[in-house]
Amino acid sequence: MKSKVIRFLGRFLYIAPMAAFVSAVSPNLSAFANDTPSLWLGLVNEKTQSLEWPGSGFEIIFTGKAVSVTLEDSGKNSLVVENDGKLSKLQLARGKKTYQFVADGGGQQHTLRLIRRTEKMFGPTTLSSIKTEGTLLPGKKRNRQILAIGDSISAGYGIEGSDQSCKFSADTQNQYLTYPAVVARSVGADITTIATSGIRVSPKFPSDVTTMPFVFQQAVPKGRVFDVVIVNLGTNDFSEKTKPDNFVNAYAAFMAVIRDQSPDAMIYAALGPMLTDSQFSEASAAIEAAVKLRHQRGDGKIRFLALRTKAKGFGCNWHPNAETHARLAATLTKTLEHDLNWKRDAAN
């Protein structure tokens, strides 16, 4: 079988990729029972074994020399590959295909993580089977759980684009490089992302079901509890000419829904970094008013967080690129250190 090296994930990671993959399975690989991974990552439809949300994925902990994974996809999605901590990008083929990942070190224990870079609009990526000549081992969730709720910024829209003139595409999107994902890795937390480009908080009409408050209640299973929730919404509400009259109440009501789901979570009502100064002033005032309403109702674990930083460059359509996201991540990491005493590189 002829193999080829998976190409580099991007210049902002500063880490070389590792293994090669081949499109056919070696005949000595045997299927695991139930074909389920060691651990699901992010927001996954476990019944259909489908990855749809950015940052969703799975972890395979195994002994042996190689593992193969069969996935079905539209051909537009791509995955970040963490193979024993070494990073690469896997562009998925259209239809059902098998990808083999080769590990170094013989029969030692290995960890393979496959994480979706792209958002829901590009269709699901469905796991069909996992095979190896070794043994599958169970995984364990980290002690710290972060939920990121947002729009195109949190979804990684255009983050790998060359400059602001490029258009939106699946190829330039990468949730792995977004500021919430960077922060989660730096503090040793698991990250779950629910983000959709163009999404709003306030409905445009009474029966509008395209807002994040509606989508959140449909997408996030009951019982999923988080330690930190980062909400970066409002950009699409306030980037239009008319200010939404119902934003404050809609935002406060959404915070109440999040609080019901995660009673002890620290909630950050964040904003930035794409609005103009005047738009940011309007939007931040509205969000702070919503936060004040929550405080008046006895919720003391919610605060406004301004994510404003001098851009180090732009991705597609003026979205923040990876370097700007890294600056936003530094702001959020310092906030978590101050508020929760979450140290960097914590072992969890």
Side-chain angles (χ1 to χ4, degrees):
M1 294 179 293
K2 185 178 180 181
S3 64
K4 59 179 180 179
V5 176
I6 303 175
R7 65 189 179 91
F8 285 96
L9 179 63
R11 63 187 177 90
F12 299 110
L13 293 177
Y14 304 104
I15 301 176
M18 83 153 259
F21 74 90
V22 292
S23 59
V25 182
S26 175
N28 65 333
L29 300 184
S30 58
F32 291 128
N34 301 321
D35 293 328
T36 54
S38 304
L39 184 68
W40 292 110
L41 306 173
L43 194 59
V44 177
N45 187 332
E46 295 185 24
K47 290 183 179 179
T48 61
Q49 303 210 141
S50 295
L51 318 177
E52 297 184 14
W53 294 100
S56 60
F58 54 91
E59 178 178 274
I60 302 170
I61 304 174
F62 69 101
T63 61
K65 298 179 180 179
V67 64
S68 70
V69 179
T70 300
L71 301 167
E72 186 170 1
D73 191 77
S74 65
K76 296 180 180 180
N77 294 298
S78 58
L79 305 177
V80 172
V81 179
E82 288 185 3
N83 199 331
D84 286 336
K86 298 180 181 179
L87 299 174
S88 54
K89 174 184 175 181
L90 174 60
Q91 180 64 51
L92 296 174
R94 184 180 180 86
K96 185 180 288 189
K97 303 291 181 182
T98 298
Y99 307 88
Q100 182 169 298
F101 302 88
V102 179
D104 295 327
Q108 297 177 359
Q109 180 174 311
H110 303 283
T111 300
L112 173 70
R113 290 162 63 94
L114 300 179
I115 303 166
R116 183 174 164 116
R117 292 162 42 104
T118 42
E119 64 180 285
K120 194 173 183 180
M121 70 174 70
F122 298 110
T125 302
T126 303
L127 172 63
S128 297
S129 68
I130 304 168
K131 297 181 180 180
T132 185
E133 94 288 0
T135 303
L136 178 66
L137 302 172
K140 181 182 178 182
K141 288 187 176 182
R142 293 184 172 95
N143 294 331
R144 296 171 176 172
Q145 298 292 316
I146 296 176
L147 172 63
I149 305 171
D151 49 32
S152 57
I153 298 169
S154 302
Y157 179 121
I159 195 170
E160 291 188 335
S162 56
D163 55 42
Q164 63 269 25
S165 64
C166 65
K167 302 301 181 183
F168 174 67
S169 68
D171 189 55
T172 58
Q173 190 169 39
N174 189 353
Q175 179 275 346
Y176 194 88
L177 297 181
T178 62
Y179 74 92
V182 172
V183 168
R185 291 192 295 275
S186 73
V187 298
D190 286 331
I191 180 74
T192 296
T193 300
I194 176 170
T196 300
S197 294
I199 204 162
R200 296 163 51 96
V201 173
S202 53
K204 290 187 175 182
F205 48 88
S207 59
D208 188 358
V209 296
T210 63
T211 63
M212 181 55 81
F214 181 88
V215 171
F216 176 87
Q217 294 189 72
Q218 301 299 310
V220 180
K222 302 294 183 182
R224 288 290 298 272
V225 178
F226 300 91
D227 302 300
V228 169
V229 180
I230 307 153
V231 183
N232 189 350
L233 293 169
T235 297
N236 294 305
D237 298 79
F238 285 87
S239 59
E240 298 181 357
K241 293 182 179 180
T242 56
K243 178 181 176 180
D245 296 330
N246 55 353
F247 182 87
V248 174
N249 288 333
Y251 197 102
F254 185 34
M255 296 303 100
V257 171
I258 295 171
R259 174 59 67 214
D260 287 343
Q261 178 131 4
S262 294
D264 298 320
M266 184 65 204
I267 301 173
Y268 292 99
L271 181 67
M274 291 187 66
L275 294 171
T276 66
D277 289 342
S278 60
Q279 290 170 342
F280 186 87
S281 295
E282 277 194 324
S284 60
I287 293 174
E288 289 184 277
V291 169
K292 186 176 180 180
L293 286 177
R294 292 299 305 154
H295 289 167
Q296 291 171 352
R297 288 165 172 77
D299 189 347
K301 296 186 71 175
I302 178 172
R303 59 167 287 195
F304 173 72
L305 179 63
L307 291 174
R308 298 284 274 178
T309 184
K310 186 175 181 180
K312 288 292 290 181
F314 297 100
C316 300
N317 290 327
W318 299 95
H319 282 70
N321 66 2
E323 290 184 84
T324 301
H325 270 276
R327 288 193 167 203
L328 299 176
T331 297
L332 181 56
T333 301
K334 288 179 181 178
T335 301
L336 294 178
E337 288 178 333
H338 178 270
D339 293 352
L340 304 177
N341 198 32
W342 279 17
K343 303 300 183 183
R344 300 178 193 224
D345 300 320
N348 280 282

